[in-house]
Every structure is written in C-alpha cells, then in structure tokens.
Amino acid sequence: MPWTHDGRSVGSSSADWRLDCEARHLLGLDGYHCIDARGRRMKIGPRRHRQQYLQRVQAARGLAERDRLAAAALRIWDAAAPRPGNG
C-alpha cells in the first residue's frame, strides 16, 4: 500500500492516491519555452505553468476539483517547507 505525503496508507487505485500523485506532479512542473503569435520565443515560468495546469483541470473537471487539487498541492508544499529553528 502506498503512503501519502501525510503518512496515510491508501490503496494504489484510490482517489486519495491519485490526488496525492497529481498534486506532487503539479508541484514538480518546470517552466517551458514556446513561440508566441509573432513568432518570438518566450519563456513560461514554473508558476505560470502550474496556473495553466490548474486552469485545464478546472475546464475538464470543474472548479471544485481544481480547488481540491490546489489545496492538496499547498498542503504538500507546506509540509516540505523548512521550519524556523530546525536547521
């Protein structure tokens, strides 16, 4: 049984595991380069890339799922953040 970021044991086909995996994927997105309408190369940063991903989730699955994914990603990010005095 896999473990989520908060230490819960869940089934590998459960919705909780899918959400945890997708949230970790969202946090791992890097920036990318693309060509704009004028043919210029432009850089999309990691933050904008994550915003675009969440917009696509909202379009496909709705606002509630987008908010649920964003909240899960924030929980994982917060859990991994260094705490003052622990370093």
Side-chain angles (χ1 to χ4, degrees), residues 33-86:
H33 289 91
C34 64
I35 306 298
D36 69 5
R38 294 183 177 171
R40 296 177 299 190
R41 185 175 189 227
M42 57 187 279
K43 179 170 178 17
I44 303 297
R47 181 178 179 167
R48 179 69 183 134
H49 193 185
R50 289 188 290 270
Q51 290 170 344
Q52 290 171 342
Y53 187 92
L54 288 171
Q55 287 171 348
R56 289 191 303 270
V57 167
Q58 181 176 341
R61 296 183 239 158
L63 184 59
E65 281 299 310
R66 179 226 176 266
D67 290 345
R68 187 170 169 231
L69 176 59
L74 285 173
R75 282 193 304 271
I76 292 172
W77 180 77
D78 189 47
R83 300 288 179 224
N86 290 346

